[in-house]
Amino acid sequence: MSKKRALAASLITPEKNLWVTGGLDYDTNTPFSSTEHILKNGESVKGPELPLTLGGHTLITINSTFSMLIGGETYNLDEGTTIDLTYYYDHYNQAWFDGPELKIARYLHGAGVVTDLITKERFVVVTGGSSDSDFYLQSTEILLDGKWVLGNK
């Protein structure tokens, strides 16, 4: 990578490159809005800027065209603020656009796409993490009809 990145997120792009996004340089306490693609030959090339400076977020593949960035922590000077924002990234048009807001702002969480074995329906699920008020979140959110719904405990 071109930069050391703690608290970054990554995924494999439709072109089969590693895409590393955001994060924080712990040595200089510098947050990043930059991204980079690690090509198959190991070369690092600049990727699209994130919509904001961010770390502790998740990045998932929705389908062959879209990815989703979920939650995280923005950085202002030495302070971080947990966010409830999500963004979609259109790999074909190379553009970010707003996604639905989470019910609970969270960072250091997990996310993925889960497929129902019977109906074959796919769901985006977010679970756990931390927030500004609760270090250990014990909640799950499911994206249904374009809105986040809290899962049952």
Side-chain angles (χ1 to χ4, degrees), residues 83-119:
I83 62 169
D84 59 2
L85 303 175
T86 69
Y87 298 91
Y88 290 101
Y89 185 73
D90 180 341
H91 291 271
Y92 182 75
N93 292 305
Q94 299 181 348
W96 291 101
F97 59 97
D98 294 343
E101 291 183 8
L102 294 165
K103 294 286 185 190
I104 300 170
R106 58 181 78 219
Y107 71 104
L108 302 177
H109 51 286
V113 177
V114 177
T115 303
D116 183 299
L117 293 176
I118 297 170
T119 67

Side-chain angles (χ1 to χ4, degrees), residues 9-21 35-37 47-48 50 59-69 87-97:
S10 62
L11 58 71
I12 301 298
T13 66
E15 298 80 26
K16 307 294 186 222
N17 298 315
L18 178 64
W19 184 29
V20 183
T21 63
T35 74
E36 56 188 296
H37 292 280
L50 294 177
L59 191 65
I60 62 169
T61 300
I62 300 294
N63 56 38
S64 63
T65 305
F66 291 97
S67 297
M68 188 175 204
L69 184 152
Y87 298 91
Y88 290 101
Y89 185 73
D90 180 341
H91 291 271
Y92 182 75
N93 292 305
Q94 299 181 348
W96 291 101
F97 59 97

Side-chain angles (χ1 to χ4, degrees), residues 113-135:
V113 177
V114 177
T115 303
D116 183 299
L117 293 176
I118 297 170
T119 67
K120 306 299 182 207
E121 190 173 3
R122 294 166 41 98
F123 300 96
V124 176
V125 178
V126 176
T127 187
S130 296
S131 72
D132 289 338
S133 61
D134 190 353
F135 193 72

Side-chain angles (χ1 to χ4, degrees), residues 7-81:
L7 303 175
S10 62
L11 58 71
I12 301 298
T13 66
E15 298 80 26
K16 307 294 186 222
N17 298 315
L18 178 64
W19 184 29
V20 183
T21 63
L24 181 70
D25 182 335
Y26 276 149
D27 293 338
T28 63
N29 205 29
T30 303
F32 300 123
S33 62
S34 64
T35 74
E36 56 188 296
H37 292 280
I38 311 299
L39 306 180
K40 293 176 196 171
N41 66 5
E43 179 186 359
S44 173
V45 297
K46 185 177 184 209
E49 287 291 312
L50 294 177
L52 62 160
T53 302
L54 199 59
H57 55 293
T58 56
L59 191 65
I60 62 169
T61 300
I62 300 294
N63 56 38
S64 63
T65 305
F66 291 97
S67 297
M68 188 175 204
L69 184 152
I70 304 170
E73 189 171 55
T74 61
Y75 301 97
N76 184 9
L77 301 174
D78 291 336
E79 221 171 279
T81 301

